[in-house]
Amino acid sequence: MEIDGKTVILRGPAGSLASPDVPNTGTWGGLGTGWRGVHWRGSGDLGAYCHHRVTKQLNGNYTFTGDHGGFAGADATKHSGSILSQFYYMPAGQPAGGYETWRVYEGTENGALLALVEYVNDEGRYFACGLAVEVVE
């Protein structure tokens, strides 16, 4: 299923829904430059703040833009102390980097789309915790 241009929700650990937190929160909030943590909402909270706009990149990966205009990202490198701290939103107006572009897979047994940020570095080949992608419109 092609999702470029669609509106989606991102479902994370325990079925929680991702939305941008206030500026200067989360793993990168200490930088004081507008990075946001993820506000994990209940699995049934389908408010517009949980909606993300999808854009396909030239390399076939996708970006998920939150309601504040910044991209959702996941950093599972040494900077992430826990699964929940892997996720963040970068400030609006910056280009997406490798940690803000997601490979989306279909064909899971339960029918969900699976989004992963994938890494290859000195530590090996791995990925951040995956998110389920559900098309809203």
Side-chain angles (χ1 to χ4, degrees):
M1 163 188 275
E2 180 53 64
I3 60 173
D4 185 35
K6 302 275 188 192
T7 299
V8 300
I9 58 171
L10 302 174
R11 196 174 291 278
S16 298
L17 299 175
S19 70
D21 205 342
V22 296
N24 303 318
T25 56
T27 301
W28 305 111
L31 297 174
T33 56
W35 292 78
R36 297 168 184 245
V38 174
H39 183 108
W40 294 103
R41 298 180 182 270
S43 62
D45 188 350
L46 302 175
Y49 38 78
C50 292
H51 293 184
H52 296 79
R53 191 74 175 157
V54 182
T55 304
K56 190 170 189 174
Q57 304 299 298
L58 293 176
N59 65 0
N61 287 353
Y62 295 87
T63 56
F64 301 112
T65 306
D67 67 348
H68 73 294
F71 299 117
D75 183 349
T77 65
K78 62 185 177 187
H79 304 293
S80 298
S82 71
I83 288 177
L84 291 180
S85 69
Q86 291 178 12
F87 301 102
Y88 62 87
Y89 289 88
M90 69 186 314
Q94 295 187 38
Y99 297 167
E100 294 86 39
T101 60
W102 300 74
R103 178 68 63 183
V104 176
Y105 296 95
E106 59 182 312
T108 59
E109 188 172 326
N110 67 6
L113 297 173
L114 172 64
L116 298 169
V117 172
E118 299 175 342
Y119 307 88
V120 178
N121 63 21
D122 294 341
E123 297 166 356
R125 299 172 188 265
Y126 61 106
F127 45 87
C129 181
L131 297 175
V133 178
E134 298 175 18
V135 175
V136 175
E137 54 185 48

